[in-house]
Amino acid sequence: MSADSMWSIGELAEHAGVTVKTVRFYSDRGLLPEAERSGGGHRRYGPEALDRLRLIRSLRTLDLPVPEVGRVLDQEDALEDVIAGQLRDVGSQLAALRWREAALHLLQDCTPGERADRLRLIGAVAAPPSTAAFVRFWRCWLPPRLPARLVSAILERAVPQPPADPTPAQVLAFARLHAFVSGPCFSTDRCRPAVHRADTGYRPAVLYGGLVEAFATAAPDLLAMRPPGEGEALDCFVEAHARACGMRDTPAFRRQLSGRLAAEPRIDHYWQLTAELTDPSQPTPGASHDWLHAALDHQLAQEAA
């Protein structure tokens, strides 16, 4: 390459419309290789450095960190991965901004007497919010040694995801739910359903596997707002309980089951808040359980009449 086609650092900066400091910065980090040095030790660049510098500037306008720019320059197939990573980061930032905006409206629209409590609730939740506390709650609440696949299925239905574009009311519901699950997780026998206790002879995996099926079967009835009644969903619900304790589905067992369900500890507050955060087309397990319990009581009342 002839000396006439070589540029000094100042000439390259002028052609690119940047400062000498910018060119030196990228050169020092190996992003802009020098073609050679002059006799006086000054940097010299060829025309290809201008194309590379323009590419670097384009990548930096997308807010790519310098190390990621280096990856793109060094690896031909790195750009797609870098773009995907940036999109994830931008999505997370947008989610955090939407959450903060809704939280600010929540504080703006409340009374002065409510503001301190709402600030406390919101301040305990990250932006964008995480569901890690909900998962910990359910792993504490559920009986031990359930199959991993069953636990995953339960968590998928029981743990609400933060709305992508939350309303102020949803921010408040999420914050209240976060406060609820961050408290004691009902670890004493007094606070646990009988099926969770080792001394009752229940097989929790059998029950929860059956309940997942029963809730899915009941979902169309809930969505259609049908009154609780007999049918396949109720039979599946009762059968899950019967099999879990090694008994048969009989009229006597159904009467016994109704009384036991009425006496068991409940987490209604969790399901009420969850319903505010989830798609109405997906009934919560709590709503499904209540519908099936009501269906059982309705059937027993009809038989008694």
Side-chain angles (χ1 to χ4, degrees), residues 37-43:
R37 289 267 180 167
S38 68
H42 299 294
R43 307 178 199 230

Side-chain angles (χ1 to χ4, degrees), residues 94-111 114-129 163-176:
L94 289 174
L97 288 172
R98 287 191 289 265
W99 179 269
R100 287 169 55 192
E101 181 183 30
L104 288 169
H105 281 300
L106 178 67
L107 295 172
Q108 183 182 54
D109 298 338
C110 70
T111 65
E114 295 173 315
R115 193 156 291 152
D117 183 58
R118 292 188 176 185
L119 271 172
R120 177 184 58 81
L121 289 169
I122 293 170
V125 180
D165 191 6
T167 64
Q170 287 176 320
V171 168
L172 182 59
F174 193 98
R176 285 175 171 164

Side-chain angles (χ1 to χ4, degrees), residues 30-42:
L31 301 183
L32 197 63
E34 306 162 13
E36 60 181 52
R37 289 267 180 167
S38 68
H42 299 294

Side-chain angles (χ1 to χ4, degrees), residues 46-80:
E48 68 280 357
L50 179 59
D51 293 333
R52 192 174 179 94
L53 183 55
R54 285 170 174 166
L55 175 58
I56 292 170
R57 291 186 64 199
S58 296
L59 294 171
R60 290 290 288 151
T61 59
L62 298 174
D63 207 27
L64 263 65
V66 171
E68 294 294 271
V69 172
R71 277 187 61 203
V72 173
L73 296 175
D74 294 338
Q75 305 172 25
E76 292 184 3
D77 59 347
L79 181 57
E80 186 173 342

Side-chain angles (χ1 to χ4, degrees), residues 8-303:
S8 68
I9 191 170
E11 291 170 333
L12 176 61
E14 183 179 355
H15 282 294
V18 299
T19 65
V20 169
K21 183 178 179 180
T22 297
V23 177
R24 185 174 290 113
F25 174 83
Y26 292 133
S27 293
D28 291 344
R29 279 153 183 77
L31 301 183
L32 197 63
E34 306 162 13
E36 60 181 52
R37 289 267 180 167
S38 68
H42 299 294
R43 307 178 199 230
R44 305 289 290 175
Y45 299 91
E48 68 280 357
L50 179 59
D51 293 333
R52 192 174 179 94
L53 183 55
R54 285 170 174 166
L55 175 58
I56 292 170
R57 291 186 64 199
S58 296
L59 294 171
R60 290 290 288 151
T61 59
L62 298 174
D63 207 27
L64 263 65
V66 171
E68 294 294 271
V69 172
R71 277 187 61 203
V72 173
L73 296 175
D74 294 338
Q75 305 172 25
E76 292 184 3
D77 59 347
L79 181 57
E80 186 173 342
D81 288 343
V82 169
I83 290 174
Q86 286 297 105
L87 284 173
R88 287 192 296 270
D89 289 345
V90 170
S92 179
Q93 293 168 22
L94 289 174
L97 288 172
R98 287 191 289 265
W99 179 269
R100 287 169 55 192
E101 181 183 30
L104 288 169
H105 281 300
L106 178 67
L107 295 172
Q108 183 182 54
D109 298 338
C110 70
T111 65
E114 295 173 315
R115 193 156 291 152
D117 183 58
R118 292 188 176 185
L119 271 172
R120 177 184 58 81
L121 289 169
I122 293 170
V125 180
S130 166
T131 59
F134 303 162
V135 173
R136 286 194 299 271
F137 168 82
W138 279 104
R139 291 192 181 280
C140 176
W141 167 255
L142 289 171
R145 293 182 295 279
L146 287 181
R149 182 177 299 178
L150 179 56
V151 172
S152 296
I154 294 170
L155 293 178
E156 183 177 355
R157 292 294 311 279
V159 174
Q161 297 303 309
D165 191 6
T167 64
Q170 287 176 320
V171 168
L172 182 59
F174 193 98
R176 285 175 171 164
L177 190 58
H178 185 275
F180 177 78
V181 301
S182 299
C185 62
F186 311 100
S187 57
T188 64
D189 284 348
R190 180 176 57 83
C191 299
R192 287 181 172 275
V195 69
H196 291 193
R197 300 200 299 268
D199 61 347
T200 57
Y202 269 94
R203 293 180 293 169
V206 174
L207 174 62
Y208 277 97
L211 289 181
V212 169
E213 180 181 355
F215 294 166
T217 306
D221 292 317
L222 273 79
L223 291 176
M225 302 184 68
R226 298 189 184 100
E230 298 182 54
E232 181 184 358
L234 176 59
D235 292 343
C236 185
F237 178 72
V238 175
E239 179 66 17
H241 281 276
R243 290 180 57 238
C245 59
M247 299 180 70
R248 292 188 305 110
D249 178 4
T250 65
F253 176 78
R254 292 198 174 206
R255 289 192 295 272
Q256 177 187 350
L257 176 61
S258 177
R260 186 166 64 243
L261 292 176
E264 282 186 344
R266 301 172 61 87
I267 51 174
D268 292 338
H269 187 56
Y270 181 95
W271 297 121
Q272 290 164 1
L273 293 171
T274 298
E276 297 183 40
L277 297 167
T278 53
D279 187 339
S281 67
Q282 296 291 326
T284 68
S288 299
H289 188 279
D290 287 348
W291 191 94
L292 289 163
H293 187 188
L296 175 60
D297 288 345
H298 176 74
Q299 182 205 27
L300 293 174
Q302 283 190 318
E303 292 176 355

